[in-house]
């Protein structure tokens, strides 16, 4: 009673001592026993991570498609051990959010200018449904003419004109000074009208409207590194090899081909 334990606990300790000796009195850590990882498997995880530079969940899908029946937990352990990700002591619950996207390819494209580390300006045209980069260009200056040059080339290369186009209200795309009817003579808007494209600029101070393009900018900032010779090389890799969680772990090219057959 002085130790504040029950008689049953004392009997269990006595029984264990008779069976296992002093080993029965050693402290035991709770949870499943630590399993040593296969060095060959660790090398496979590291190699695939160096190719994709992605998180554990996406890497789990990639390895599973290659025939490796290994758990997500083990992949996370390898990535933590190699410093590819930080250990998550308090696992957070997934945040609920609502995603809006068009049901078919080429109904809406997104575009915006993004400044690269070297001071040059990048502009992509991204399909809303498949996340595929339909066209892309890098220039020294972010101008309306350069934006239209990439748009015309994207239309010619893909043989399709989008129904809608979304961008922010930057001066390269949108005339902020307009008449009482909301009309303005802006070169970009007039070009879209001639092409039969319905221009839908984002709401003021609401970048979520152009969220697909904002997401692309984040991918470029994180993943455009020494693996790629140029931005064109990066775009080809992004379209053909980089699987995306947003489109059920497919590549943009795969989903685009599947939905345009």
């Amino acid at each position: 009673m002085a130790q504040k334990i029950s008689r049953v606990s004392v009997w269990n300790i006595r029984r264990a001592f008779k069976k296992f000796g002093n080993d029965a009195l050693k402290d035991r850590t709770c949870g499943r026993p630590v399993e040593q990882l296969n060095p060959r498997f660790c090398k496979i995880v590291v190699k695939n991570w160096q190719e994709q530079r992605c998180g554990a969940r996406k890497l789990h899908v990639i390895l599973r498609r290659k025939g490796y029946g290994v758990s997500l937990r083990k992949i996370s352990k390898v990535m933590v051990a190699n410093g590819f990700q930080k250990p998550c002591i308090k696992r957070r619950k997934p945040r609920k959010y609502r995603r809006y996207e068009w049901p078919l390819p080429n109904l809406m494209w997104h575009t915006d200018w993004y400044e690269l580390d070297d001071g040059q300006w990048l502009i992509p045209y991204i399909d809303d449904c498949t996340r595929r980069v339909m066209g892309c260009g890098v220039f020294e200056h972010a101008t309306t003419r350069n934006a239209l040059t990439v748009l015309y080339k994207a239309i010619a290369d893909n043989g399709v004109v989008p129904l809608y186009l979304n961008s922010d209200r930057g001066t390269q795309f949108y005339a902020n000074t307009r008449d009482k009817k909301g009309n303005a003579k802006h070169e970009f808007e007039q070009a879209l009208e001639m092409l039969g494209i319905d221009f839908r600029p984002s709401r003021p101070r609401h970048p979520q409207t152009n969220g697909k393009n904002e997401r692309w900018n984040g991918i470029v900032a994180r993943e455009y590194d020494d693996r790629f010779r140029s931005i064109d090389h990066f775009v080809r890799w992004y379209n053909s090899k980089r699987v995306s969680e947003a489109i059920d772990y497919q590549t943009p090219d795969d989903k685009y081909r599947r939905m345009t057959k």
Side-chain angles (χ1 to χ4, degrees), residues 108-127:
M108 176 176 279
W109 288 1
H110 297 268
T111 190
D112 193 9
W113 285 100
Y114 175 71
E115 187 175 8
L116 298 171
D117 293 337
D118 58 2
Q120 291 189 309
W121 289 88
L122 166 69
I123 181 169
Y125 285 87
I126 303 171
D127 179 55

Side-chain angles (χ1 to χ4, degrees), residues 145-203:
R145 292 290 178 88
N146 290 337
L148 287 174
T149 298
V150 179
L151 175 61
Y152 293 145
K153 188 175 187 305
I155 292 173
D157 290 344
N158 295 281
V160 64
V161 178
L163 186 61
Y164 304 104
L165 182 70
N166 170 250
S167 75
D168 64 5
R169 293 177 181 249
T171 56
Q172 302 91 345
F173 310 110
Y174 185 80
N176 290 295
T177 302
R178 314 182 82 83
D179 60 21
K180 294 181 179 179
K181 295 183 180 179
N183 299 320
K185 294 183 178 180
H186 192 282
E187 183 181 358
F188 191 82
E189 295 180 74
Q190 290 177 334
L192 294 185
E193 186 177 354
M194 291 179 59
L195 290 168
I197 301 174
D198 188 354
F199 184 44
R200 296 194 173 184
S202 301
R203 290 190 301 170

Side-chain angles (χ1 to χ4, degrees), residues 53-68:
R53 304 283 177 92
C54 59
R57 283 190 303 168
K58 187 183 293 185
L59 200 59
H60 178 235
V61 175
I62 294 171
L63 292 175
R64 190 173 59 189
R65 288 179 177 175
K66 291 183 177 181
Y68 298 102

Side-chain angles (χ1 to χ4, degrees), residues 33-229:
V34 177
E35 183 180 354
Q36 296 297 325
L37 297 173
N38 189 324
R40 181 172 173 271
F41 168 73
C42 294
K43 291 181 180 179
I44 293 172
V45 173
V46 171
K47 179 181 177 182
N48 281 270
W49 181 88
Q50 290 173 342
E51 294 175 356
Q52 295 288 336
R53 304 283 177 92
C54 59
R57 283 190 303 168
K58 187 183 293 185
L59 200 59
H60 178 235
V61 175
I62 294 171
L63 292 175
R64 190 173 59 189
R65 288 179 177 175
K66 291 183 177 181
Y68 298 102
V70 69
S71 68
L72 173 62
R73 183 178 63 88
K74 291 183 179 179
I75 294 175
S76 297
K77 288 181 65 176
V78 176
M79 294 182 66
V80 170
N82 287 273
F84 300 152
Q85 72 178 31
K86 296 180 181 179
C88 185
I89 299 173
K90 293 183 178 180
R91 181 72 59 184
R92 296 179 180 178
K93 293 182 179 179
R95 182 172 53 183
K96 293 182 179 180
Y97 65 95
R98 194 168 185 178
R99 188 175 72 230
Y100 296 92
E101 62 186 16
W102 289 83
L104 294 173
N106 301 315
L107 289 181
M108 176 176 279
W109 288 1
H110 297 268
T111 190
D112 193 9
W113 285 100
Y114 175 71
E115 187 175 8
L116 298 171
D117 293 337
D118 58 2
Q120 291 189 309
W121 289 88
L122 166 69
I123 181 169
Y125 285 87
I126 303 171
D127 179 55
D128 183 276
C129 177
T130 63
R131 275 49 169 195
R132 184 174 185 264
V133 177
M134 309 300 291
C136 191
V138 177
F139 302 91
E140 292 184 0
H141 303 286
T143 65
T144 299
R145 292 290 178 88
N146 290 337
L148 287 174
T149 298
V150 179
L151 175 61
Y152 293 145
K153 188 175 187 305
I155 292 173
D157 290 344
N158 295 281
V160 64
V161 178
L163 186 61
Y164 304 104
L165 182 70
N166 170 250
S167 75
D168 64 5
R169 293 177 181 249
T171 56
Q172 302 91 345
F173 310 110
Y174 185 80
N176 290 295
T177 302
R178 314 182 82 83
D179 60 21
K180 294 181 179 179
K181 295 183 180 179
N183 299 320
K185 294 183 178 180
H186 192 282
E187 183 181 358
F188 191 82
E189 295 180 74
Q190 290 177 334
L192 294 185
E193 186 177 354
M194 291 179 59
L195 290 168
I197 301 174
D198 188 354
F199 184 44
R200 296 194 173 184
S202 301
R203 290 190 301 170
R205 297 176 295 280
H206 198 268
Q208 293 86 349
T209 311
N210 199 11
K212 307 294 190 308
N213 209 106
E214 297 293 336
R215 178 65 174 171
W216 156 262
N217 293 342
I219 292 171
V220 173
R222 291 191 309 273
E223 303 185 27
Y224 180 44
D225 50 31
D226 56 349
R227 292 175 293 169
F228 307 102
R229 300 184 300 274

